Amino acid sequence: MSLIHLKRRQFLQVSGLSAVSLLLGGCGTPAFEDLVGQLSEPLNRKVGKLIFNPQKPVPEFYLSEIEPEALIVNTFRSTPIIEPENYRLIVDGEVNNPLSLTLAEIYNLPLTSMIIRHVCVEGWAAIVQWGGVCLREIIALAQPKANVQYAYFKSADGYYESWDIASVLHPQTLLAYEKNGEPLPIDNGAPLRLAAPIKLGYKQSKWVTKISLVSNLSQFKGYWEDQGYDWFAGI
Ligand SMILES: Nc1nc2c(c(=O)[nH]1)N[C@H]1C(S)=C(S)[C@@H](COP(=O)(O)O)O[C@H]1N2
Ligand SMILES: [Mo]
């Protein structure tokens, strides 16, 4: 876990402040800026002079550094069958505007691409280019209530994960539908998977079907976490 994550988490714990209000920079669509403007004003005033570091982007790699063969398919059960035309991404929980998005609607949002290292705890890593929509774009559309602290991700294969909201809203956390410039292969999580340079591989759910925004975690935190793996799993 990097120092900056630790500091941010401690800060959020002490201040009790919703991280939604603290995120600046990156993925700056009008929808997102409106949302942050709405939520942040009273809260930011409350923090007064406390200086908060906006989430810094993780340095990326060059196209020439992509390792096309290095990403090992790592699936705990089997690859689920998802009909693209029937697929919906549900965003619910403590939000003002629950969403049920088709793939066409998601592909209409701005496409962001990044070249990052995927790190699996089983001892391998791969430099991969991911293309997709910034998760914060979608979260902004759902208009989370100010006390939201976590997101649950449900996958079509029964996998589940939960993330802290600061990591969810990190500018390099994507819902990816492209890998190395091609449509995302089904084994890698099509139609939509998480991809972010700030979390270990097992946090990066494939075949995401539902995102629930909540203020508290339940006893179930994640498929591997519930078997003893670290929950934050930052890198
Ligand atoms: N739905 C789902 N997501 C998942 C997994 C899984 O089994 N099911 N495995 C995780 C693990 S441990 C890793 S390392 C990465 C692997 O991604 P890849 O199969 O695209 O290489 O997916 C993660 N996301
Ligand atoms: Mo992994």
Side-chain angles (χ1 to χ4, degrees), residues 77-96:
R77 228 172 243 170
S78 59
T79 296
I81 295 164
I82 298 175
E83 302 288 345
E85 54 284 2
N86 297 333
Y87 175 87
R88 295 290 182 277
L89 176 69
I90 304 295
V91 186
D92 67 6
E94 296 171 41
V95 298
N96 292 316

Side-chain angles (χ1 to χ4, degrees), residues 149-198:
Q149 303 276 10
Y150 307 99
Y152 272 95
F153 299 95
K154 195 170 161 251
S155 296
D157 63 340
Y159 203 77
Y160 58 100
E161 262 302 336
S162 59
W163 287 40
D164 60 289
I165 195 71
S167 299
V168 167
L169 299 175
H170 188 281
Q172 287 156 301
T173 298
L174 305 189
L175 272 178
Y177 51 84
E178 290 180 358
K179 184 191 98 178
N180 299 334
E182 305 280 342
L184 182 66
I186 293 174
D187 286 339
N188 296 116
L192 280 183
R193 69 165 297 154
L194 285 169
I198 53 168

Side-chain angles (χ1 to χ4, degrees), residues 89-122:
L89 176 69
I90 304 295
V91 186
D92 67 6
E94 296 171 41
V95 298
N96 292 316
N97 186 35
L99 303 172
S100 169
L101 299 172
T102 64
L103 287 172
E105 287 168 325
I106 289 162
Y107 300 152
N108 265 330
L109 294 167
L111 170 66
T112 300
S113 156
M114 64 179 182
I115 303 172
I116 60 151
R117 179 178 275 130
H118 177 101
V119 181
C120 176
V121 281
E122 290 176 322

Side-chain angles (χ1 to χ4, degrees), residues 71-77 118-122 124 130 155-160 179 187-189 193 201-207 223-224:
L71 188 74
I72 299 167
V73 169
N74 206 353
T75 300
F76 84 100
R77 228 172 243 170
H118 177 101
V119 181
C120 176
V121 281
E122 290 176 322
W124 56 272
W130 300 109
S155 296
D157 63 340
Y159 203 77
Y160 58 100
K179 184 191 98 178
D187 286 339
N188 296 116
R193 69 165 297 154
Y202 63 84
K203 298 300 286 185
Q204 320 222 359
S205 299
K206 305 191 280 188
W207 312 294
Y223 180 78
W224 290 111

